[in-house]
Every structure is written in structure tokens, then in C-alpha cells.
Amino acid sequence: MDFNTGGPGGVSEGAVEFSLSDPVGSFVATVRGVVLSPVAFFRGIRRSGDFVGPLVFALICSVVAGILAAFVSLLANLVSGNGFGAAVGGFFAALVGAPVAALIGLFVGAGIYHLVVLLLVRPNAGFEGSFRVVAYASVVQLVSWIPILGGLLALYGIVLGVFGMREVHGTTTGRAVAVILLPTAVVLLVGLVFFAAVVAVLLGAR
């Protein structure tokens, strides 16, 4: 695997991105590139000019994960005795909900990360650069359906995000880590404040 952690990267040749002209072949090549050689992949991709390819790639990953998760949900409902109707309902809910949530999360996530990029990285590759990183890092969804193990493997998405932001925006590893982790830290802080407020209200009501 290519985990070179050198300095800021520039555009290089050789990265195979997802293409609608060859959906199967380019999808497999893109998955292989992102997972096995993330630094070289993100260093070699275009910074702009095509929202559709990365978007469709992320949606395919989400749909595949949704189908597999739906089957797991279906089997779990059948085994637990919830009935065939509930099992089928859970199946279609997972199948439809996954791509919709992925589509919303993709743009919202890219927007949040790029706000941090604007604060920490100047100049940068623009919003589309951040969008492409988030979209291709969505490859981890392909294993997210695996109980327990999927959640652990999905943490690899953080690593991909750091490599992607560093190479696409031509910044340092430290700033790329900050771009990826700062939004998470803010969410955790807000959650802790909200939890503390709820506990305070409940204790005060006694």
C-alpha cells in the first residue's frame, strides 16, 4: 500500500477515476486505487471539471452498502421473529434510505470540510477538490454493512480523508488532519454541551 507521507503533493499522472463511459472497469480500478494507493490516487486525480463522476461513484458505494445492509436487516428480522412484513419493510427502508442519506451527507460533509479548508489552507483547490476527496473516501461504505467489523474498517475513511485533503489541496499532513478532525471535535463538543444541559435540567427538575 502507498502510504507515503511526504510533503504537499501535486497533480501526477496515473490515477484512474470513475468514468460513466466504463462504469464497471473504472469503478474497480478506482476502488483499488483509493484503498491500496490512496496517496498516489489523490495526488493524480483532477481537481475540478467533473462533479458527476465522483458523485456517481459515491452513490454506487452507498447503494451496494445499502443492499448488503438491507439483506442483513432482513435476515436479522426473520431470525428475531419480527415477521415477514416487518422484515421486508426494514429491507426496503434500508435500501432506499442509504443512497438518500449518502447524497445529503456527501454535499453537507464536503461543505463543512471545505469551510475548514478555507480557514486553514490558502490557496486551495476549491470546493470541488474537497467534494472529490469526500466522494472517493466513500469507498469505505462498501464494508460498512459488516456488523462491528464494518464500523472499525470504516475508520479507514478518516485516513483516506487526511491523505486526500493533503494531496488535493497541496497542504501539510498536520493541516489535513486538522481539516478532517476539527469538524468531528466540534460535533463532539456540541454533543457534550447538549448532554450536560439536559442532565442539568433533569437534575434541577427534581
Side-chain angles (χ1 to χ4, degrees):
M1 294 187 182
D2 180 4
F3 292 138
N4 170 39
T5 55
V11 179
S12 62
E13 300 296 332
V16 178
E17 294 189 66
F18 176 79
S19 172
L20 293 176
S21 62
D22 180 22
V24 176
S26 65
F27 181 82
V28 173
T30 299
V31 169
R32 185 185 299 117
V34 176
V35 173
L36 299 181
S37 303
V39 173
F41 176 82
F42 285 115
R43 184 176 296 161
I45 64 174
R46 289 183 294 172
R47 277 37 176 171
S48 62
D50 177 25
F51 268 102
V52 177
L55 173 61
V56 174
F57 175 84
L59 289 179
I60 291 176
C61 291
S62 177
V63 168
V64 171
I67 291 174
L68 295 173
F71 274 113
V72 171
S73 175
L74 177 63
L75 293 175
N77 279 307
L78 290 175
V79 171
S80 62
N82 289 335
F84 183 75
V88 173
F91 175 84
F92 283 105
L95 190 60
V96 175
V100 173
L103 181 62
I104 296 173
L106 186 61
F107 281 97
V108 172
I112 292 173
Y113 285 127
H114 192 62
L115 284 177
V116 184
V117 168
L118 291 175
L119 293 174
L120 300 180
V121 183
R122 297 179 183 178
N124 58 70
F127 172 75
E128 189 174 344
S130 298
F131 178 85
R132 297 171 84 83
V133 171
V134 175
Y136 286 127
S138 297
V139 70
V140 296
Q141 292 186 60
L142 294 175
V143 298
S144 63
W145 60 276
I146 305 174
I148 301 177
L149 181 60
L152 296 176
L153 293 175
L155 292 176
Y156 187 51
I158 295 176
V159 176
L160 295 179
V162 170
F163 287 155
M165 291 298 179
R166 187 189 71 189
E167 298 301 329
V168 168
H169 290 300
T171 187
T172 63
T173 300
R175 292 192 178 189
V177 169
V179 167
I180 297 300
L181 294 187
L182 273 179
T184 303
V186 170
V187 170
L188 289 176
L189 179 60
V190 171
L192 288 174
V193 171
F194 178 77
F195 177 76
V198 170
V199 171
V201 170
L202 292 177
L203 293 177
R206 291 184 177 182

